Amino acid sequence: MTNRKMFFTMLWGAVFRRRSRAMMAVIASLVGAATLFCLASVCVAVPQQMNEEMRAYGANLIVTPASATGKSQGIDTATVRNVTALIGAGHSVKLAAYRYESVRINSAPYTIAGVDVKAVRALNRHWNVTGDWPGSGNVMVGRDVADALGVKVGSRVTIGYRAADASASASSSASAKSDSDESTETAESSAQGTQSTQTTQGEQTTQATENGRVSSDIMDNNGTEFRIAGIVDTGGNEDSIIYATTADVSKLAGHERGADVVEYSVNAMGDELNAIVNRINKNTNTAVKAQTVTKITSSDTRIIAMLQTLFWIVSLVVLVLTLVGVGTTISSIVSQRRNEIGLRKALGADSRAIGVEFYVESGIYGLIGGLLGTAIGYVLARVLCATVFGRAIGFDWLLGAGSLLLSVAIAVIASIPPVRRATRIDPAIVLREE
C-alpha cells in the first residue's frame, strides 16, 4: 500500500470511526458559516433594498435654476432632459417638476404648484391623499390649506392670480433658493419659506397691471373657479400648498414657463450621490444648481452605518465562538487518539505527517460545515429579506465561495494548538502508560 493510499485510509477511518466528534466539529462550522453568510448577504442586499424603499419617501436630490435669469424663466424641458441624462448614467431615476406661483383665495395669499400628476404621484408614494389627485379644473390642497379655508373634497374655490404677487414670487424665490443651501429637506419648503415675503412685496406694489388694467385692490376676489378633488396630508410643508396640473397653472397665470424646482429620486446614496451633485454643479451648460435632500440622505447613511457596525460585531463574536467550538472538538479528538499518535511516532511516523493528517481532517469538517451552513444561511437571508422588505435576493456565488474558504480556514486555524500538542507527544511515555 502506497503512502498516499495509507494516508487517505487513515483519514477516512479517523473521520467515520468517530462520528460523534466529527459531527460536533461540523455543527460548529455549520453554525458559524450559516450566521456569517446570512449576515453578509443581508448587509450586501439591504443597503440596495433599503435605498429603493427610501425612494418611496420622496426625492433625495433637487435641482433649481442657478442664475437670476434662470429663476425667472424656470428650468426648461431641454435642461431637464440634460440633467436627467447626467444623473441617470448607471442609475434608475424618477423625477417630478414643480412650477410655483403665488395666488389668492378669499384675498389670502397661497402658493400653487403646477405639476405633472403622474410624475409626482410616482415620486411621492408616501403622500396620504384623501380623494383624487389634481386634474383639469380640479386641484388638490394641503391639509393646512383645507383647514384654513374650511373646505373638503368636492368644495369649490376661486383662485386668483395677480401679476404683482407673481413678480414678488419670482424675486423672493430667487434670493431664497440661492441663499439657503442647507434648507433642502423638500422642494416645497423652499417655496413655502418665501410665501410671507411674496405677500409683503405684492401688497407694496400699488401700480401692478393685470390684463392691461391697474390692479392694487388686495381684496379683489376675482379668479378662476376650481373644484377640490383631494386633500393631501403628509405632516410636512406639502400641507401648505395647492396642487394643480401644469396646464391649469399656465392658463391661470396667462403664460408658460419652466419649472422652479425639479425633484429627483436617484438610486444612489452617500459619496455616490454627492458625486452626482458635484458633476451637475460643475457642468456650466445646464445652468442649474443641484443639492441633496439632507433629511433623506442622512437617514440612509445612518441606518447603513448602524447595520454595518452590527454586522462586524456579530461576525467577530461568531468567529470567536466557531474557533472555540472547532478547537475544543479537535482537542477532544487529539486526546482520544493520544495512544494512537504515540504508537505511530514509535513506528517512525514524523510529526509533520501527523500534523498534516489532523489539518486535513479539520479542513474536511470545515468544508462540510461550510457547505451546509452556506445553504442554510442563504435560506435564512432569503426568508429575512422576504419578510422585512417583501423581496427575494439571489445567491451571491462570490460570497458563497468566500464562506466556504473562511469555514475551512477557521477550522484549520482552530486546530493548530491541539495539533501542535499532538506532535509533541512522547511515544515512550505513551507506551509506558500502556
Side-chain angles (χ1 to χ4, degrees), residues 118-139:
K118 184 178 180 180
V120 173
R121 190 169 186 174
L123 184 64
N124 300 289
R125 289 180 290 167
H126 67 291
W127 284 11
N128 182 20
V129 177
T130 302
D132 296 325
W133 286 71
S136 179
N138 295 273
V139 297

Side-chain angles (χ1 to χ4, degrees), residues 8-27:
F8 286 109
T9 300
M10 296 184 66
L11 185 63
W12 179 271
V15 172
F16 289 96
R17 280 201 306 267
R18 300 172 178 83
R19 294 186 182 88
S20 60
R21 303 288 184 182
M23 187 65 67
M24 291 175 62
V26 169
I27 290 175

Side-chain angles (χ1 to χ4, degrees), residues 273-283 290:
L273 184 61
N274 291 329
I276 294 174
V277 172
N278 293 332
R279 185 163 67 243
I280 296 172
N281 290 335
K282 289 179 181 178
N283 192 324

Side-chain angles (χ1 to χ4, degrees), residues 98-101 103 105 110-115 127 139-146 186-193 195 230-232 236-244 263:
Y98 300 80
R99 172 188 175 178
Y100 294 108
E101 297 290 352
V103 296
I105 302 176
Y110 291 96
T111 299
I112 190 169
V115 298
W127 284 11
V139 297
M140 179 176 70
V141 300
R143 170 55 61 187
D144 294 344
V145 177
T186 60
E188 287 83 359
S189 63
S190 297
Q192 193 64 23
Q195 185 171 326
I231 299 174
V232 58
N237 293 283
E238 297 88 354
D239 293 357
S240 300
I241 296 178
I242 304 167
Y243 294 91
E263 292 184 347

Side-chain angles (χ1 to χ4, degrees), residues 151-176:
V151 296
K152 59 183 180 180
V153 175
S155 300
R156 292 188 173 275
V157 293
T158 299
I159 301 178
Y161 174 82
R162 295 173 59 84
D165 292 342
S167 61
S169 174
S171 61
S172 60
S173 178
S175 61

Side-chain angles (χ1 to χ4, degrees), residues 184-233:
T184 60
E185 292 187 357
T186 60
E188 287 83 359
S189 63
S190 297
Q192 193 64 23
T194 66
Q195 185 171 326
S196 60
T197 306
Q198 296 171 12
T199 305
T200 302
Q201 293 183 4
E203 291 174 352
Q204 291 176 347
T205 307
T206 59
Q207 294 298 321
T209 62
E210 183 178 12
N211 297 328
R213 297 181 293 107
V214 175
S215 175
S216 60
D217 185 5
I218 64 172
M219 300 302 294
D220 186 1
N221 290 325
N222 293 330
T224 304
E225 187 178 68
F226 289 90
R227 176 183 174 273
I228 296 179
I231 299 174
V232 58
D233 188 355

Side-chain angles (χ1 to χ4, degrees), residues 286-332:
T286 58
V288 296
K289 179 177 67 176
Q291 49 196 2
T292 59
V293 181
T294 56
K295 181 173 66 175
I296 299 295
T297 55
S298 62
S299 297
D300 281 359
T301 305
R302 184 170 60 254
I303 294 174
I304 292 173
M306 292 173 60
L307 181 66
Q308 291 175 341
T309 302
L310 179 63
F311 166 73
W312 287 114
I313 293 174
V314 175
S315 297
L316 181 61
V317 173
V318 171
L319 285 174
V320 172
L321 292 178
T322 304
L323 284 170
V324 172
V326 176
T328 302
T329 304
I330 299 298
S331 295
S332 176

